[in-house]
Amino acid sequence: MNMTCTVLKNAKFATMVSGGLSYGLIENGAVAISDGMINWVGPEKELPLEFAGLQEKDLGGRLVTPALIDCHTHLVYGGSRATEFELRLKGASYEEISRSGGGILSTVTATRNASEEELFAQSLPRFDALLAEGVRTVEIKSGYGLDLETEIKMLRVARQLGKERNIRVKTSFLGAHAIPPEFAGKAEAYIDFVCEEVLPAVHEEKLADAVDGFCENIAFSPKQISMVFEKATSLGLPVKLHAEQLSNYGGAALAAKYGALSADHLEYLDEAGILAMAKSGTVAVVLPGAFYTLRETQLPPLNSLRKAGVPISIATDCNPGSSPLTSLLLCMNMACTLFRMTPEEALCGVTREAAQALGIGPEVGTIEVGKKAEFAVWNVEQPAELAYRIGCNPLEEMVLGH
Ligand code: DI6
Ligand code: FE
């Protein structure tokens, strides 16, 4: 529903504003919207007179949350990795498959071989699956092209998905994801190529909102990543990093040093990394879909992150290898069941903290005055149901002020 001036009434608002009740809950609440922005939030009986007489929308006592945000996806890619799934079930590990030229590189081949139209057509159903559960901001990474042409193709498709559905898409350039076959054994030369040719061209076309990397012993070292971050910083682009997913490699501390928006995965994160993240305000993005798919047993250090006051977000990591997940609600459930996050933390992780992980905290992620009116209306009695249910989509409708 679109509107210029409206009052939403007869609803429970999980505002996700911190400091008050759990979930920032307002029972019997009302919200006034004008020109797509929230300009009043509170208990319905306190609605100021100036809003009386505006167009009203009765939400039938339902729960309203901020529209959801998936802040880490690789949803633009060609092909499928179902065969690799079968191999893993026969005992091969993710690292073995990756070292023998499968894994990310098989998706690189499929992505290079797909036309822009094919890539768009293959990615749209994944994008739509997220939207069907109340998502209105999606981060999408490149990183399955690893050459100039295909990285640009992926990012164009990402932007096009956003345009097609009128959804906010934030793109991240992930050239430092894997070493492509033409640079086999020449990681340094590949990093030079990324820094000197690909990233500047991507930036020139305004195709990247941030720069990401994969800092891991099967990918790039902290030193190699720091060269990419130097370049990103010189172009004025914020950075984020896949860090400490498979081993403790110092990626989170490196990301923090560059004031990264987020460090993501983090199963093997240590105290030094946590302290560095707390200091730099870097969001911890945990990815239970990858933890689940890889049958990881090392849990991300959530208690220490909480203690240090690091904001914690969760995301699908939607990708063909380690997290073929296109449900942010299921991701919330996994975060609770696998990581022992609370349902409130899970909802925070896909709203307020996810906005912060994308650098758009001032715009979206909570229901408060001055933010964009982008709401999800749910057929549930209480907010914990969103994380509690498995394989159920209780979304009633979206209310969007734009
Ligand atoms: N970490 C991940 O979980 C994905 N990329 C990354 O850097 C996996 C990508 C893939 O297996 O295709
Ligand atoms: Fe990822």
Side-chain angles (χ1 to χ4, degrees):
M1 152 172 200
N2 291 322
M3 62 201 77
T4 43
C5 248
T6 306
V7 176
L8 306 179
K9 287 178 119 172
N10 189 20
K12 281 186 240 221
F13 289 90
T15 65
M16 308 316 286
V17 175
S18 62
L21 294 177
S22 301
Y23 301 93
L25 200 65
I26 305 176
E27 300 268 2
N28 306 312
V31 162
I33 302 170
S34 94
D35 293 328
M37 306 296 283
I38 300 168
N39 62 2
W40 192 85
V41 185
E44 197 176 309
K45 59 178 183 337
E46 292 173 20
L47 186 71
L49 273 179
E50 58 181 295
F51 299 113
L54 291 183
Q55 185 195 340
E56 286 183 4
K57 184 171 168 65
D58 186 314
L59 293 170
R62 292 190 177 85
L63 176 76
V64 179
T65 67
L68 307 189
I69 299 170
D70 193 349
C71 72
H72 179 143
T73 87
H74 309 245
L75 72 79
V76 171
Y77 62 82
S80 149
R81 301 250 289 278
T83 308
E84 181 183 314
F85 179 58
E86 289 184 309
L87 285 175
R88 280 212 313 275
L89 286 168
K90 287 186 186 139
S93 76
Y94 182 74
E95 274 163 296
E96 277 160 16
I97 290 170
S98 157
R99 286 190 193 283
S100 66
I104 293 179
L105 290 185
S106 73
T107 301
V108 170
T109 305
T111 306
R112 287 180 176 181
N113 289 341
S115 69
E116 196 163 319
E117 293 69 32
E118 284 164 351
L119 203 53
F120 179 83
Q122 290 183 37
S123 305
L124 187 61
R126 296 189 278 270
F127 193 66
D128 282 344
L130 293 175
L131 307 192
E133 291 185 345
V135 172
R136 281 301 173 275
T137 303
V138 184
E139 187 262 9
I140 304 178
K141 302 175 196 301
S142 69
Y144 289 121
L146 312 180
D147 61 19
L148 177 59
E149 193 192 340
T150 318
E151 287 292 301
I152 287 195
K153 180 171 72 183
M154 289 184 73
L155 292 167
R156 282 206 185 117
V157 167
R159 290 264 193 252
Q160 195 54 37
L161 289 167
K163 280 206 195 98
E164 180 79 14
R165 296 290 190 245
N166 198 16
I167 297 300
R168 187 179 299 100
V169 165
K170 298 299 262 182
T171 55
S172 300
F173 170 67
L174 180 56
H177 192 196
I179 301 169
E182 59 277 16
F183 281 91
K186 293 187 281 188
E188 310 285 327
Y190 177 65
I191 290 292
D192 283 348
F193 169 67
V194 164
C195 293
E196 298 314 317
E197 293 187 43
V198 192
L199 179 49
V202 160
H203 181 61
E204 177 77 24
E205 289 205 34
K206 297 196 170 41
L207 284 170
D209 299 317
V211 173
D212 197 346
F214 190 16
C215 188
E216 198 55 66
N217 54 23
I218 57 164
F220 297 99
S221 68
K223 186 158 167 269
Q224 289 161 343
I225 295 293
S226 69
M227 293 177 68
V228 179
F229 282 2
E230 285 293 329
K231 188 71 191 185
T233 307
S234 77
L235 296 172
L237 290 170
V239 301
K240 47 179 56 231
L241 191 63
H242 287 69
E244 271 73 77
Q245 179 187 7
L246 308 169
S247 63
N248 180 3
Y249 214 27
L254 174 75
K257 186 175 144 204
Y258 284 87
L261 289 171
S262 69
D264 304 36
H265 284 288
L266 304 176
E267 280 84 345
Y268 292 84
L269 179 63
D270 62 9
E271 278 300 322
I274 293 171
L275 290 180
M277 288 174 68
K279 222 167 137 195
S280 64
T282 298
V283 176
V285 181
V286 295
L287 304 166
F291 178 93
Y292 167 86
T293 302
L294 301 178
R295 303 181 76 224
E296 179 58 71
T297 52
Q298 171 85 22
L299 286 161
L302 283 157
N303 264 338
S304 306
L305 286 165
R306 288 183 186 110
K307 258 192 227 132
V310 176
I312 303 166
S313 174
I314 61 179
T316 62
D317 195 17
C318 172
N319 78 69
S322 65
S323 189
L325 172 64
T326 47
S327 167
L328 200 52
L329 291 178
L330 179 54
C331 184
M332 290 167 66
N333 176 269
M334 287 175 168
C336 295
T337 301
L338 299 173
F339 295 166
R340 312 315 281 170
M341 285 175 71
T342 66
E344 184 180 1
E345 285 176 323
L347 188 54
C348 251
V350 296
T351 54
R352 188 179 76 213
E353 314 303 23
Q356 198 179 328
L358 296 177
I360 52 173
E363 258 178 82
V364 289
T366 60
I367 302 179
E368 57 189 314
V369 172
K371 293 211 182 177
K372 296 231 159 83
E374 292 183 9
F375 310 120
V377 183
W378 307 93
N379 269 315
V380 298
E381 292 292 317
Q382 59 187 97
E385 278 183 63
L386 297 177
Y388 156 72
R389 298 192 190 202
I390 303 173
C392 166
N393 179 7
L395 184 70
E396 170 72 17
E397 64 173 323
M398 301 301 292
V399 174
L400 305 169
H402 62 69

